């Protein structure tokens, strides 16, 4: 085992010497990249990035709400992340009377900050390799239990790297008293909405402000009025000096999912089957929800977060398919695999085994994805599951139901059910006999869906009755799809390639690649663990003869401003500031005009989960908040091309400008040391 690990480490170290900006590097191993980083403008040391012996930049980065990143920017636990990362929490605090999504919210003191029930952030304590401990017989559960016993609020995970060739323990402090401090109106924080999503040039002020609270000992604690702002070991200093094309940039965050090493079989499935199907299904859902939102301000608010969550991946998948086709990723994979076969004839069986495993599992995984995109999206079934929950008291079930109905409209769900049941009936090969019987008894999916919503009593909270819910037809629907859920459970993995029957062949295949391809820069696929990526500020050639500059300005916002369109109807206060050019210290001369910088792009390798990540200059200072990629960059989860791939960043100067000139919350500017 030690010999194998030594060989693996040597191959890994050799690969790290390759000069390439792409990659999502484990911070504990970043010393292997420092020479290259310094050659491109980084001024700090590896220990400044990650250390367990002293405060380092890692102590200022948080995993936000289990799927985004945030950064601590003051000695009092002040936290910046994306507006879209805080969207669910902001919506949950909103009502028609207090519409924080539309109008924004700014606390003017600690006392005005709003507790966000259920919102948690995690700060990494340390990471360590545990490959040898697992090989020696120690279980992951034992490793996690020992780690969590080390401190108050400790939570731990053991994550596989390189398809199981390595394993790492990640220990976090979990904070669950998090409060909303400020958020711009949606017409700033979500400016352009779905139209501009994944697009450059971009003019979105995609940020929100929260604060972490702790107990009197500065430890994680449940919400209490007695809690006080958390004092971090480290917070980010902010630079307002601005950026220039070619400047070094580094991103520090929690990327969620990449598939760098998949074979041509997986690329074909993604580009030809999975993404096109999911795009079509989500188009139907978005059309239904969008039409309903247009009829009522209340419905618009109730379904705002749902619409945004559906739309984000929907548009990403479209760009992913376009990018894969534009780069010829499938053909490149085929050529790479043929070269591997030719130069490693004794290991060609690994590719044969992978191809056979994909063929065995494609149908099952497709049905898992299909179920997730159709039947799982019929919301009303959730109240049956609430009523049946074995660990909730009657009072807790009632409270959960009331929370559910707050953002539920039966007619919208009826229309979704008709569309999704119809699609499932047409496309699925896993439909249960129980569901088939229900569909057949009403002339098919549409007839059954209409009958179901005509006869259920659960359309409103008044119909929610734990004692009688089992006789409701919605309970029969839940029972009918349960066999399907049991059948697809074997395929419930992040990607098709992570199904054990496939992944078991990736472990020796990736190891073989690393031993063979000495010129390739190998890094572990993203899996929502802390990573470092670096690159530079750079424009790019979007199309022949069309070069996109790397920075946008306030003028671009004003050019799009339209009071008749919700997503482009900027606050009057922003119009007023623009009219007077009262930009204060945030105004700059740029592109021959006096303006405010808004967004910029860089070559950092990012993916979902990097939303909200701090973007740093060569001195480790915060210069922006990452929030998106350009549309044709979304294929970077599979193939990164630095000539085409760009991440989109909200310039920290625009963040501060909005806090100051729109929010009037200068006290936060002062707290950040500015």
């Amino acid at each position: 085992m030690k010999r194998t690990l030594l060989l693996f480490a040597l191959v890994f170290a050799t690969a790290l010497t390759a000069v390439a900006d792409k990659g999502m590097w484990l911070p504990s191993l970043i010393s292997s990249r420092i020479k290259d980083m310094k050659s491109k403008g980084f001024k700090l040391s590896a220990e400044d990035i990650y250390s367990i012996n002293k405060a380092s930049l890692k102590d200022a980065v948080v995993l936000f709400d289990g799927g985004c990143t945030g950064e601590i920017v003051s000695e009092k636990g002040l936290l910046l992340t994306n507006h879209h990362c805080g969207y669910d929490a902001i919506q949950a605090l909103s009502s028609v009377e207090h519409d924080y999504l539309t109008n924004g919210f700014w606390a003017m003191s600690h006392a005005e900050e709003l507790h966000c029930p259920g919102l948690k952030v995690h700060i990494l304590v340390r990471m360590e390799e545990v490959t040898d401990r697992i090989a020696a017989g120690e279980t992951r559960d034992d490793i996690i239990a020992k780690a969590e016993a080390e401190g108050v609020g400790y939570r731990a995970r053991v994550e596989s790297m390189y398809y199981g060739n390595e394993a790492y323990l990640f220990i976090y402090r979990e904070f669950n008293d998090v409060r909303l401090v400020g958020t711009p109106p949606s017409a700033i924080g979500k400016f352009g909405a779905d139209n501009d999503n994944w697009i450059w040039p971009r003019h979105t002020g995609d940020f929100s402000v929260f604060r972490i609270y702790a107990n009197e000992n500065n430890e994680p604690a449940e919400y209490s009025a007695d809690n006080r702002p958390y004092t971090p070991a480290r917070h980010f200093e902010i630079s307002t000096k601005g950026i220039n094309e070619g400047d070094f940039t580094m991103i520090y965050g929690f990327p969620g999912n990449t598939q760098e090493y998949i074979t041509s079989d997986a690329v074909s499935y993604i580009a030809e089957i999975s993404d096109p199907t999911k795009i079509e299904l989500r188009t139907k859902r978005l059309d239904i929800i969008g039409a309903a939102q247009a009829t009522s301000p209340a419905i618009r608010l109730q379904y705002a977060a749902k619409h945004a969550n559906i739309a984000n991946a929907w548009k990403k998948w479209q760009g992913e398919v376009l990018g894969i086709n534009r780069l010829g990723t499938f053909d490149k994979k085929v050529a790479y695999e043929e070269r591997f076969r030719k130069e490693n004839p004794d290991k060609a069986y690994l590719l044969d085994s992978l191809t056979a495993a994909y063929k065995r599992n494609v149908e099952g995984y497709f049905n898992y994805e299909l179920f997730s995109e159709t039947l799982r999206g019929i919301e009303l079934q959730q109240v049956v599951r609430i009523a049946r929950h074995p660990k909730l008291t009657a009072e807790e079930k009632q409270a959960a139901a009331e929370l559910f109905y707050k953002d539920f409209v039966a007619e919208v769900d009826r229309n979704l059910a008709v569309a999704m049941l119809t699609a499932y009936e047409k496309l699925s090969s896993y439909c249960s006999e129980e569901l088939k019987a229900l569909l057949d008894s009403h002339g098919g999916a549409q007839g059954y869906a209409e009958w179901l919503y005509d006869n259920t009593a659960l359309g409103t909270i008044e119909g929610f009755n734990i004692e009688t819910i089992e006789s409701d037809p919605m309970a029969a629907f839940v029972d009918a799809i349960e066999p399907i859920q049991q059948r697809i459970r074997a395929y419930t993995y992040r990607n098709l390639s992570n199904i054990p029957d496939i992944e078991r062949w990736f472990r020796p295949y990736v190891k073989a690649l690393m031993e063979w391809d000495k010129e390739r820069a190998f890094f572990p696929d993203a899996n929502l663990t802390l990573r470092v990526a670096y690159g530079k500020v750079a424009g790019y050639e979007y199309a022949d003869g069309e070069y996109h500059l790397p920075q946008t300005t306030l003028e671009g916002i004003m050019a799009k401003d339209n009071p008749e369109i919700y997503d482009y109807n900027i606050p009057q206060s922003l119009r007023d500031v623009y009219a007077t050019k009262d930009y204060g210290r945030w105004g700059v001369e740029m592109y021959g005009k006096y303006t405010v910088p808004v967004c910029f792009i860089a070559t950092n390798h990012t993916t979902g989960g990097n939303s909200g990540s701090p973007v740093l200059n060569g001195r480790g200072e915060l210069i922006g908040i990452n929030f998106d990629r350009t549309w044709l960059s979304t294929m970077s989860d599979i193939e990164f091309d630095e000539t085409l791939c760009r991440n989109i960043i909200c310039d920290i100067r625009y963040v501060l400008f909005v806090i100051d000139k729109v929010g009037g919350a200068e006290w936060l500017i002062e707290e950040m040391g500015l």
Side-chain angles (χ1 to χ4, degrees):
M1 182 66 192
K2 289 182 178 178
R3 182 179 178 185
T4 301
L5 286 173
L6 178 60
L7 174 63
F8 193 79
L10 288 172
V11 172
F12 181 62
T14 301
L16 286 180
T17 63
V19 178
D21 279 352
K22 81 169 183 176
M24 298 175 174
W25 309 102
L26 292 169
S28 62
L29 303 176
I30 200 63
S31 58
S32 301
R33 303 299 303 183
I34 284 295
K35 183 178 180 180
D36 187 47
M37 293 172 70
K38 285 182 176 293
S39 73
K40 296 173 180 177
F42 189 59
K43 307 297 183 184
L44 305 180
S45 68
E47 196 173 23
D48 289 321
I49 294 173
Y50 176 91
S51 176
I52 59 174
N53 300 313
K54 67 174 187 177
S56 60
L57 295 180
K58 78 167 177 61
D59 299 304
V61 185
V62 310
L63 176 62
F64 184 88
D65 203 23
C68 283
T69 305
E71 51 273 2
I72 302 172
V73 291
S74 84
E75 295 177 349
K76 296 181 179 180
L78 196 67
L79 177 71
L80 299 178
T81 188
N82 286 154
H83 181 270
H84 76 258
C85 292
Y87 204 78
D88 287 353
I90 298 165
Q91 184 200 17
L93 293 169
S94 296
S95 63
V96 174
E97 294 77 21
H98 300 285
D99 187 351
Y100 301 135
L101 284 179
T102 298
N103 303 318
F105 167 81
W106 303 98
M108 294 302 167
S109 68
H110 293 316
E112 294 182 4
E113 295 171 358
L114 303 177
H115 175 233
C116 304
L119 179 59
K120 299 179 180 181
V121 302
H122 295 80
I123 301 175
L124 183 68
V125 177
R126 73 175 189 275
M127 57 176 291
E128 62 184 71
E129 188 177 358
V130 293
T131 314
D132 54 347
R133 290 171 62 180
I134 292 173
E138 194 170 357
T139 69
R140 293 177 178 235
D141 288 345
D142 286 342
I143 292 172
I144 290 171
K146 290 177 183 177
E148 292 186 344
E150 292 181 13
V152 175
Y154 276 27
R155 298 291 182 268
R157 291 158 43 194
V158 174
E159 299 287 355
S160 294
M161 306 289 172
Y162 302 107
Y163 289 92
N165 281 291
E166 290 184 353
Y168 281 79
L169 169 68
F170 294 82
I171 306 173
Y172 304 88
R173 286 188 181 90
E174 179 182 271
F175 293 85
N176 50 17
D177 186 352
V178 183
R179 307 183 193 183
L180 177 64
V181 178
T183 181
S186 284
I188 290 178
K190 202 169 178 283
F191 183 77
D194 296 337
N195 288 328
D196 286 5
N197 195 19
W198 305 103
I199 296 297
W200 184 259
R202 196 71 173 275
H203 302 87
T204 309
D206 196 347
F207 78 93
S208 52
V209 189
F210 292 81
R211 192 185 304 278
I212 306 169
Y213 278 75
N215 65 17
E216 60 183 4
N217 298 317
N218 206 40
E219 297 169 332
E222 295 296 327
Y223 169 77
S224 169
D226 295 328
N227 286 347
R228 57 192 65 180
Y230 169 65
T231 303
R234 180 75 176 262
H235 70 275
F236 286 111
E237 301 292 337
I238 293 173
S239 171
T240 59
K241 295 179 180 178
I243 51 95
N244 294 296
E245 188 156 13
D247 284 356
F248 175 90
T249 57
M250 171 182 139
I251 191 166
Y252 209 166
F254 292 86
N257 180 37
T258 58
Q259 302 181 71
E260 177 76 13
Y261 308 107
I262 57 173
T263 63
S264 56
D265 300 289
V267 174
S268 175
Y269 173 75
I270 292 167
E272 298 176 15
I273 300 173
S274 177
D275 281 2
T277 301
K278 292 184 294 188
I279 291 165
E280 181 180 356
L281 292 170
R282 290 206 174 191
T283 300
K284 296 179 187 295
R285 293 167 68 189
L286 289 169
D287 287 347
I288 291 168
I289 293 173
Q293 287 180 301
T295 67
S296 160
I299 296 176
R300 176 190 54 74
L301 184 61
Q302 287 173 302
Y303 280 81
K306 298 172 187 177
H307 189 283
N309 289 336
I310 295 168
N312 192 49
W314 166 76
K315 197 166 185 179
K316 182 258 188 186
W317 291 325
Q318 295 175 61
E320 185 171 73
V321 172
L322 288 171
I324 287 172
N325 292 335
R326 179 170 175 172
L327 287 178
T329 303
F330 175 79
D331 291 337
K332 289 180 184 177
K333 289 283 186 181
V334 169
Y336 189 74
E337 291 156 20
E338 288 177 351
R339 187 159 66 91
F340 176 83
R341 286 178 182 276
K342 182 178 179 180
E343 298 179 18
N344 302 273
D346 59 324
K347 295 177 181 176
Y349 75 94
L350 294 172
L351 283 168
D352 294 336
S353 299
L354 279 165
T355 295
Y358 276 117
K359 288 180 179 178
R360 288 193 297 270
N361 290 281
V362 161
E363 181 186 10
Y365 195 75
F366 175 77
N367 275 276
Y368 156 65
E369 292 197 294
L370 179 63
F371 182 90
S372 299
E373 293 295 327
T374 56
L375 302 190
R376 190 168 285 157
I378 300 173
E379 289 191 279
L380 195 51
Q381 63 183 290
Q382 293 180 31
V383 295
V384 176
R385 302 184 191 282
I386 291 171
R388 290 176 172 177
H389 199 292
K391 295 183 179 180
L392 297 180
T393 66
E395 291 77 13
E396 290 171 332
K397 291 176 181 179
Q398 184 67 30
E402 290 174 359
L403 185 63
F404 168 84
Y405 283 107
K406 175 180 179 289
D407 294 320
F408 175 81
V409 178
E411 188 61 26
V412 178
D413 207 48
R414 170 200 287 264
N415 293 335
L416 287 169
V418 169
M420 294 303 98
L421 271 167
T422 300
Y424 188 80
E425 182 181 42
K426 176 182 177 181
L427 298 174
S428 176
S429 59
Y430 270 29
C431 192
S432 67
E433 293 302 319
E434 293 85 348
L435 182 58
K436 285 180 182 177
L438 289 175
L439 300 181
D440 291 345
S441 66
H442 294 86
Q446 180 169 347
Y448 171 64
E450 298 284 4
W451 176 88
L452 179 62
Y453 280 77
D454 283 341
N455 288 276
T456 182
L458 299 174
T460 63
I461 184 63
E462 289 75 21
F464 180 74
N465 187 324
I466 298 172
E467 301 300 325
T468 62
I469 202 165
E470 291 302 330
S471 62
D472 192 278
M474 190 59 65
F477 170 71
V478 172
D479 291 339
I481 66 174
E482 181 60 28
I484 305 171
Q485 295 194 99
Q486 293 296 332
R487 190 174 181 187
I488 64 172
R489 191 157 290 158
Y491 302 97
T492 308
Y493 291 89
R494 182 186 293 122
N495 302 304
L496 171 61
S497 303
N498 296 125
I499 293 173
D501 185 37
I502 298 175
E503 190 175 66
R504 70 189 182 99
W505 292 108
F506 265 109
R507 181 173 182 177
Y509 174 62
V510 171
K511 182 174 181 291
L513 290 183
M514 297 176 80
E515 294 169 347
W516 164 64
D517 192 351
K518 299 293 195 301
E519 299 302 315
R520 187 172 182 177
F522 286 90
F523 55 92
D525 274 323
N527 55 3
L528 209 64
T529 57
L530 190 59
R531 304 294 179 90
V532 171
Y534 60 94
K536 62 185 177 182
V537 177
Y540 74 113
E541 187 176 8
Y542 177 76
D544 183 46
E546 183 178 343
Y547 186 80
H548 284 188
L549 295 169
Q551 180 96 57
T552 58
T553 68
L554 187 59
E555 269 67 23
I557 294 176
M558 303 313 299
K560 294 178 180 179
D561 178 29
N562 187 336
E564 302 301 318
I565 302 175
Y566 177 79
D567 294 316
Y568 292 102
N569 182 18
I570 64 172
Q572 184 60 42
S573 58
L574 185 56
R575 296 189 186 105
D576 294 341
V577 171
Y578 178 75
T580 61
K581 299 294 188 289
D582 181 22
Y583 303 150
R585 54 178 143 170
W586 319 117
V588 299
E589 290 291 336
M590 181 182 296
Y591 301 148
K593 58 197 173 190
Y594 181 62
T595 187
V596 178
V598 175
C599 296
F600 65 95
I601 51 175
T603 63
N604 303 124
H605 194 173
T606 64
T607 186
N610 275 127
S611 291
S613 293
V615 178
L616 312 173
N617 62 19
R619 297 178 298 277
E621 299 166 331
L622 185 67
I623 56 174
I625 306 173
N626 186 75
F627 70 93
D628 207 354
R629 285 174 284 175
T630 55
W631 201 23
L632 297 183
S633 299
T634 58
M635 84 299 179
S636 64
D637 291 350
I638 298 164
E639 180 183 1
F640 181 90
D641 183 336
E642 67 177 16
T643 64
L644 188 62
C645 293
R646 297 292 183 270
N647 60 308
I648 305 177
I649 304 143
C650 186
D651 195 304
I652 196 63
R653 293 170 292 177
Y654 185 58
V655 172
L656 299 170
F657 166 79
V658 172
I659 291 173
D660 183 10
K661 294 295 184 177
V662 177
E666 188 176 355
W667 73 289
L668 298 177
I669 307 288
E670 295 174 356
E671 182 180 330
M672 287 182 258
L674 297 169

